[in-house]
Amino acid sequence: MWMGPKLIVGIKDNPEYFQTVLNSPHLLDKMEQYNFFRIVNGLFAAPGHMWKNERKLLNRSFSPTMLTSFVDTFNDKDFIMVDSLRKFVGKGEVDLHLPIAKCTIDSIFGTAFGKDLNTQGHDGADEYLHSMDTFFSLVFKRILHVERYPEHVYRLTKDFQTETNCVNIIRGMSHDLMQQLKLNSKNNRAQQQKEDACGRKPNLNFAESLFEIAEHNPRWQEKHIRDHIDTIIAAGHDTTATTMSNLLLMLAIHQDVQEAVYQEVMSVCPDKTKPVTTEETNGLVYTEMVCKETMRLFPVGPLIGRTCTADVKLDEKHTIPAGCCVALGIYQIHRDPSIWGPEPTKFNPDHFLPEKVAERHPYAYLPFSGGPRNCIGIRYAWLSMKILIAHLVRNYRFRTSLKMEDVKVKFAIILRITNGCIVSIEER
């Protein structure tokens, strides 16, 4: 299709094509429309040549050792959420998306930045979370309206004013965080130098890695660091919170699946007063299948866009021409009946039984994208989600009046269930 003068090639139902596109060195750059994301210019939207070096430098912030060090924070924040939900027990159906979002953003700040934001203890983050949601909605609206692409035209709209207000709120939080992180970075440097002198490479969280990279890269300005901070907050907490909201709703709709998850959790980590360990999450096999099935039906990133810098051959009949854009329909391929069977919209965790995964093309399922430019936080997301779901189901039973046929989605930058996470809560 054409959007103004720009040709966009859409692919939605061929895993081989997905694999070719996501692994091509000529398709590492994001679509030009990603420039509309003014607050997420880090790894999410960076040009291919910049992304490659910075991804390599930041990978260690999500290494297995670092992930293990995050487990205590995940558990601490999840215990707080479990306690905060008690006020909803027996009170009928409520939307749990905001409590989940507060829990995930607290976890992001605690793990990536070493800061206790404690949004679950007050309402201070509500404005920030609302601004983030509004910002993404306005960016998607602009992407769909080619007449708003020129900046001088977009600045004349009311949406630009609303978006600017959202950006100011979002950047206000990251600015305050930056000042604290700079101070902490100086205080921690002496200890890190001691560890370096002893031949031990220090474990650095995301923020510490940013400041260390900046020390050895003069081109890194404060804006560059802030862009990465804004990106990890926006991309990290919102995607996890949305997936967890969707997951809880699926458990509430499918009581048999919820019971199976509960039985597995109670066989692996039955003591609700104790934290969930990394080793215990490895035993939550069926729970992970349920997470994967939720992300199949409701992938938070429903569309991936890349720019083609040189001709890329898909097969003998099809070549993507240089200069065009490529849009990969993750939502569509996740619901393709030729891949997922005659009932592709049915919620069925058995899609992820080992024998079924083995016979399916690896690029038929892409909740975290694929290829070299996949999501840096894959392992972080799986670990945090499995720990949180274990805490929730061993404390509460979730029900809802909604049925699968009632569930409606909003197709945007982040795919959302428009019904919300409407559930009632009962004590176990």
Side-chain angles (χ1 to χ4, degrees):
M1 68 176 183
W2 291 88
M3 291 193 75
K6 181 63 70 173
L7 173 64
I8 299 179
V9 176
I11 303 174
K12 65 182 179 66
D13 57 4
N14 189 319
E16 292 286 347
Y17 290 175
F18 275 65
Q19 184 172 18
T20 299
V21 168
L22 292 173
N23 287 279
S24 171
H26 307 303
L27 283 155
L28 286 175
D29 288 342
K30 298 293 183 78
M31 288 172 63
E32 293 176 11
Q33 288 87 341
Y34 280 67
N35 293 326
F36 299 157
F37 292 91
R38 293 190 275 167
I39 60 167
V40 285
N41 293 320
L43 290 176
F44 176 73
H49 67 281
M50 288 178 59
W51 159 83
K52 203 167 188 178
N53 292 329
E54 293 176 9
R55 169 68 179 258
K56 194 178 298 183
L57 291 168
L58 291 170
N59 268 338
R60 63 174 174 168
S61 300
F62 297 93
S63 68
T65 303
M66 285 304 299
L67 288 176
T68 299
S69 73
F70 295 161
V71 169
D72 286 346
T73 300
F74 291 147
N75 278 288
D76 289 345
K77 300 309 176 186
D78 295 350
F79 276 124
I80 294 172
M81 182 177 175
V82 166
D83 286 340
S84 72
L85 293 186
R86 289 208 168 86
K87 62 179 175 287
F88 299 122
V89 172
K91 299 295 177 62
E93 294 186 336
V94 294
D95 189 345
L96 291 187
H97 181 73
L98 183 58
I100 293 170
K102 287 187 171 188
C103 180
T104 57
I105 199 171
D106 279 354
S107 292
I108 284 284
F109 270 72
T111 55
F113 309 124
K115 176 178 171 54
D116 187 9
L117 193 62
N118 190 28
T119 65
Q120 296 186 91
H122 58 81
D123 297 329
D126 291 19
E127 184 182 41
Y128 175 85
L129 295 171
H130 176 72
S131 296
M132 191 73 75
D133 187 39
T134 303
F135 171 78
F136 280 126
S137 296
L138 291 175
V139 170
F140 187 67
K141 181 179 178 181
R142 185 181 181 189
I143 288 173
L144 296 180
H145 292 81
V146 68
E147 75 278 2
R148 293 180 170 219
Y149 282 22
E151 185 70 18
H152 66 279
V153 174
Y154 186 55
R155 285 177 176 270
L156 300 176
T157 66
K158 289 183 178 179
D159 283 353
F160 174 78
Q161 301 302 323
T162 303
E163 183 184 305
T164 299
N165 290 336
C166 293
V167 169
N168 290 338
I169 291 168
I170 294 165
R171 285 185 170 164
M173 176 176 277
S174 61
H175 174 77
D176 293 343
L177 178 63
M178 271 276 296
Q179 303 312 308
Q180 295 177 40
L181 292 177
K182 282 171 65 177
L183 179 61
N184 293 342
S185 178
K186 290 179 181 179
N187 294 337
N188 292 339
R189 180 58 55 191
Q191 179 61 33
Q192 291 169 7
Q193 287 173 346
K194 287 181 182 178
E195 292 183 2
D196 286 340
C198 296
R200 297 195 303 270
K201 198 169 186 64
N203 293 321
L204 305 179
N205 65 27
F206 188 79
E208 291 165 344
S209 291
L210 288 177
F211 283 104
E212 186 188 61
I213 294 168
E215 280 195 0
H216 300 95
N217 290 270
R219 67 181 180 81
W220 272 46
Q221 306 294 323
E222 279 199 10
K223 178 185 179 303
H224 205 95
I225 298 174
R226 189 186 65 200
D227 284 343
H228 280 290
I229 289 173
D230 284 333
T231 298
I232 204 70
I233 297 172
H237 101 270
D238 205 5
T239 53
T240 305
T242 300
T243 299
M244 281 302 308
S245 294
N246 298 343
L247 175 56
L248 270 189
L249 185 61
M250 291 302 101
L251 292 179
I253 292 174
H254 303 91
Q255 288 293 309
D256 56 333
V257 174
Q258 182 176 173
E259 182 61 23
V261 170
Y262 173 70
Q263 293 299 333
E264 181 179 71
V265 168
M266 295 308 288
S267 69
V268 173
C269 44
D271 191 342
K272 63 179 69 176
T273 66
K274 291 184 178 179
V276 180
T277 67
T278 306
E279 292 72 23
E280 287 169 341
T281 64
N282 294 332
L284 299 177
V285 178
Y286 183 73
T287 302
E288 183 171 316
M289 289 166 57
V290 174
C291 291
K292 287 180 176 178
E293 177 67 353
T294 300
M295 297 185 77
R296 180 185 73 84
L297 287 175
F298 309 103
V300 286
L303 191 71
I304 295 174
R306 299 286 175 86
T307 295
C308 193
T309 57
D311 287 0
V312 174
K313 187 175 181 179
L314 294 177
D315 55 27
E316 293 303 320
K317 294 182 178 180
H318 303 94
T319 297
I320 301 172
C324 77
C325 294
V326 181
L328 299 179
I330 305 299
Y331 181 86
Q332 286 82 0
I333 201 169
H334 280 190
R335 292 169 175 245
D336 188 335
S338 68
I339 298 170
W340 302 96
E343 296 181 297
T345 61
K346 182 180 179 181
F347 185 84
N348 181 12
D350 286 352
H351 280 134
F352 294 93
L353 289 168
E355 59 270 24
K356 292 193 175 182
V357 173
E359 66 187 23
R360 192 165 55 237
H361 195 289
Y363 280 73
Y365 180 67
L366 297 163
F368 296 100
S369 184
R373 197 158 185 175
N374 65 348
C375 174
I376 194 173
I378 294 176
R379 290 175 299 184
Y380 179 101
W382 284 128
L383 184 61
S384 63
M385 287 192 295
K386 284 162 66 171
I387 291 175
L388 178 54
I389 200 64
H391 278 284
L392 292 176
V393 300
R394 70 185 183 181
N395 281 276
Y396 302 113
R397 183 188 301 276
F398 301 92
R399 300 184 188 275
T400 183
S401 59
L402 290 173
K403 296 179 172 53
M404 279 300 283
E405 55 266 29
D406 301 323
V407 174
K408 307 297 180 186
V409 298
K410 179 182 179 183
F411 200 87
I413 300 302
I414 294 178
L415 187 80
R416 300 190 191 280
I417 293 177
T418 55
N419 311 73
C421 182
I422 303 297
V423 300
S424 61
I425 307 174
E426 302 169 8
E427 290 269 12
R428 288 281 186 184

